[in-house]
Amino acid sequence: MLFKIYSAALLGIEAYLVEVEVDVSRGFPTFITVGLPDATVKESKERVRAALKNCGYDFPSRKIIINLAPADRKKEGSAFDLPISLGLLAQLEIFPHSRMKDYMFLGELALDGTLKPVKGILASTVLAKERGFKGVVIPKGNEKEAALVEEIEIYALENILQTIHLLRAPDEVFPSSCTIKDILPGVEYEGGFREIKGQHHVKRALEVAAAGAHNVLMIGPPGAGKTMLARRLPTILPDMTFEEIREVTQVYSASGLLKNEGAVSVRPFRFPHHTISHAGLIGGGLIPKPGEVSLAHHGVLFLDEFPEFRRGVLEDLRQPVEDGEVTISRASMAVTFPCRFMLIAAMNPCKDVSSGFSGEECTERQKSLYYSRISGPLLDRIDIQVEVPKVEFRDIVAKEVGETSVEIRKRVVRARKSQLLKFHKKKIYCNAQMGTREVKKNCQIDKKGEELLEMAVKRLGFSARAYTQVLKVARTIADLEGKERIDPSHVSEAIQYRVMDKHF
């Protein structure tokens, strides 16, 4: 007899519907899984066999064929254990098999019948809602994640026996009562900008960057506080919106990185080592998986020791930084991942600099050789480039403290709100995302501002892209001050944030 159960599989971070067809018929006892299953899916045979036996049910000693449709897409993961087991149980007629069509089933089976969490539940729940299913049956461990999707019944169950009870008596099993408020705790950060000694101009540059979502490069000797500054940048960024939380959570869910958390409610801060591969940073694999650029979506990607990354890996950043998404192409598929992040990079003034040095020991030749490891086109895409000098002793021992992150964040949020009002009819959320048309409309400057930019282009050799980046940063500085027009002082400050252009 043939039974059909609905489940889902992942393609990138999106889910697509999978029909699990279970055929139990006479013949030599075999268990065949077709539909391009990977090794994990094939191993479900042994997990299902042991789970049914330990729950008191007989495993059919007959010819069993499992088809995962559509058959032309590679299937991976253990989420098909539950639908396969239900298809085998349906032939025992212990529940009305017609009820299975009302639900989408996902879950890995332990050998005792317990349902274990699987990845990609958020995307699968969104799909179930779109396809009009009455509810989705998932492991208890995925309950919080699925609660981000409203207007669909979520049955977060602990074992296969509870699933059978749901199909036998749907009125006796109640959907999850977990709400969005239960899984979105208040945002808390361990450190803030008040803890940073000195570096007032760098903190100002990071405030401007946060207000417009601009990319930043910090150049300074070891021990100057570059990593500390980068780690505290999320404390002055605006809180994520609900849509941003869902997008980021979907990426982490597809990557299997949610753990016991129901959602990612704090802006991500990713800090990959400089030995990372192309696939680790951008994404990849036989079945493409998100890389660090996507795990930093709506957050911060911090690349320390910037020139030490392999040249090819750094060049791969150019398209994701500019487009906010990355496409991984394979012979049989092409997958697009979101990656709208703030790039924060840090580097020493030259290669041979030890802790305690100020960076002044580096000759211009040493600097140029070290900086040449980073291409000009990539630097052009970094809006703010700022020097981080060695912290003076008077700043280290000073009892005065600077502004808190809360105070700085208020200004950043105010500036972001003004940008949202300007771009409310477009899919633009901050100044860094402006295109040519938006720059022309919103970044008009007076004659004195034009003269400043003309001088900078001639003396520093700004490219056309660098010229545009300066205008965007100047627009952000004006937004921080609540100004409608860009003043020459805003242009002047924005030009000062291009310290690397003179080396190229």
Side-chain angles (χ1 to χ4, degrees):
M1 186 176 291
L2 175 66
F3 300 97
K4 184 183 292 186
I5 308 96
Y6 293 101
S7 189
L10 288 176
L11 181 62
I13 63 171
E14 302 293 335
Y16 63 92
L17 190 66
V18 174
E19 296 179 358
V20 181
E21 297 176 321
V22 180
D23 181 71
V24 182
S25 59
R26 294 180 180 179
F28 187 78
T30 54
F31 192 106
I32 303 171
T33 305
V34 296
L36 293 182
D38 73 346
T40 305
V41 179
K42 291 178 180 178
E43 290 171 354
S44 66
K45 167 188 173 182
E46 303 305 330
R47 292 192 296 272
V48 170
R49 185 196 302 273
L52 294 184
K53 178 183 175 182
N54 290 325
C55 289
Y57 296 99
D58 293 328
F59 189 84
S61 182
R62 309 182 78 176
K63 183 178 180 180
I64 301 171
I65 299 178
I66 310 295
N67 179 43
L68 306 176
D72 60 344
R73 288 186 178 180
K74 186 79 173 177
K75 318 297 188 311
E76 65 169 352
S78 54
F80 300 116
D81 289 3
L82 179 58
I84 290 173
S85 64
L86 292 176
L88 297 176
L89 289 170
Q91 55 92 29
L92 299 177
E93 298 185 352
I94 58 176
F95 53 78
H97 57 80
S98 61
R99 288 177 179 164
M100 292 191 296
K101 71 178 186 303
D102 296 332
Y103 306 94
M104 179 182 285
F105 298 90
L106 302 107
E108 177 185 333
L109 280 178
L111 300 187
D112 62 354
T114 300
L115 291 178
K116 301 178 71 174
V118 294
K119 62 183 182 180
I121 288 295
L122 177 55
S124 300
T125 307
V126 171
L127 177 67
K129 178 184 175 181
E130 292 174 350
R131 290 301 185 99
F133 285 94
K134 178 183 178 182
V136 58
V137 180
I138 59 173
K140 185 70 175 177
N142 293 120
E143 179 180 22
K144 291 182 178 180
E145 176 185 349
L148 285 173
V149 184
E150 299 179 299
E151 298 178 2
I152 185 171
E153 294 181 349
I154 298 164
Y155 294 88
L157 307 180
E158 296 181 354
N159 51 57
I160 194 170
L161 295 177
Q162 291 183 354
T163 309
I164 294 170
H165 188 49
L166 169 66
L167 294 172
R168 276 178 172 171
D171 296 335
E172 296 179 9
V173 180
F174 300 100
S176 169
S177 59
C178 186
T179 64
I180 292 174
K181 291 182 179 180
D182 297 329
I183 60 175
L184 296 180
V187 178
E188 294 183 3
Y189 296 100
E190 292 184 2
F193 267 52
R194 176 169 280 188
E195 300 172 0
I196 300 171
K197 299 289 187 178
Q199 308 296 14
H200 302 293
H201 74 291
V202 186
K203 287 189 280 187
R204 165 65 177 177
L206 290 180
E207 178 182 340
V208 173
H214 300 289
N215 301 318
V216 180
L217 172 63
M218 295 183 286
I219 309 105
K226 301 186 296 295
T227 301
M228 187 178 187
L229 284 158
R231 286 189 179 277
R232 279 151 179 74
L233 178 60
T235 68
I236 64 172
L237 292 174
D239 293 339
M240 284 200 292
T241 64
F242 179 68
E243 277 304 312
E244 289 176 333
I245 289 172
R246 267 189 45 171
E247 288 178 20
V248 176
T249 301
Q250 190 163 330
V251 174
Y252 276 70
S253 173
S255 304
L257 298 177
L258 272 186
K259 300 179 181 179
N260 295 325
E261 300 174 7
V264 180
S265 56
V266 177
R267 292 191 182 275
F269 182 88
R270 303 298 298 183
F271 188 3
H273 194 261
H274 65 261
T275 57
I276 193 170
S277 66
H278 163 87
L281 185 65
I282 306 300
L286 184 61
I287 299 179
K289 300 290 188 301
E292 289 291 334
V293 294
S294 296
L295 295 174
H297 186 48
H298 290 313
V300 175
L301 177 66
F302 178 46
L303 302 184
D304 200 8
E305 305 296 344
F306 197 42
E308 301 300 326
F309 284 79
R310 282 180 290 196
R311 179 75 176 242
V313 172
L314 288 182
E315 291 305 299
D316 291 335
L317 274 174
R318 286 159 58 175
Q319 183 254 333
V321 165
E322 188 149 340
D323 297 342
E325 62 181 25
V326 59
T327 300
I328 311 295
S329 297
R330 296 291 179 265
S332 59
M333 69 182 78
V335 179
T336 299
F337 298 113
C339 58
R340 195 165 294 284
F341 57 88
M342 284 182 64
L343 173 63
I344 308 298
M347 60 183 288
N348 296 327
C350 60
K351 185 173 179 60
D352 301 318
V353 177
S354 58
S355 180
F357 283 73
S358 64
E360 296 177 358
E361 298 81 2
C362 300
T363 65
E364 286 301 316
R365 176 174 172 77
Q366 287 176 319
K367 289 181 180 180
S368 296
L369 285 173
Y370 198 52
Y371 297 160
S372 66
R373 298 187 182 189
I374 309 167
S375 70
L378 178 58
L379 272 176
D380 264 356
R381 289 166 170 82
I382 301 179
D383 313 350
I384 295 176
Q385 304 154 10
V386 61
E387 291 182 337
V388 185
K390 177 183 175 182
V391 182
E392 299 293 338
F393 178 76
R394 63 176 180 272
D395 291 324
I396 296 175
V397 299
K399 295 182 180 179
E400 295 181 3
V401 292
E403 288 184 295
T404 64
S405 291
V406 174
E407 293 169 327
I408 300 173
R409 191 193 300 125
K410 287 179 181 178
R411 294 196 295 270
V412 170
V413 170
R414 188 167 59 247
R416 286 281 187 107
K417 284 181 178 178
S418 69
Q419 294 164 37
L420 287 173
L421 288 174
K422 283 197 288 275
F423 308 129
H424 71 282
K425 293 183 179 180
K426 301 179 180 180
K427 292 184 177 180
I428 299 175
Y429 307 102
C430 53
N431 288 335
Q433 298 173 9
M434 284 192 292
T436 305
R437 186 175 300 177
E438 289 76 31
V439 169
K440 187 174 181 180
K441 179 181 178 181
N442 297 290
C443 300
Q444 298 180 3
I445 54 178
D446 58 20
K447 187 169 182 60
K448 190 172 182 181
E450 285 183 1
E451 291 174 353
L452 284 170
L453 270 173
E454 182 182 4
M455 182 175 61
V457 168
K458 290 180 178 179
R459 291 188 179 181
L460 299 178
F462 281 5
S463 67
R465 181 182 285 112
Y467 172 87
T468 303
Q469 305 290 42
V470 168
L471 287 177
K472 291 180 182 180
V473 174
R475 176 68 265 171
T476 300
I477 296 169
D479 290 340
L480 279 169
E481 295 184 5
K483 299 284 186 67
E484 283 293 325
R485 295 189 59 84
I486 299 175
D487 295 337
S489 62
H490 304 147
V491 176
S492 177
E493 183 178 352
I495 291 172
Q496 292 176 22
Y497 294 141
R498 302 291 305 186
V499 298
M500 291 289 286
D501 290 273
K502 62 184 178 183
H503 294 284
F504 287 85

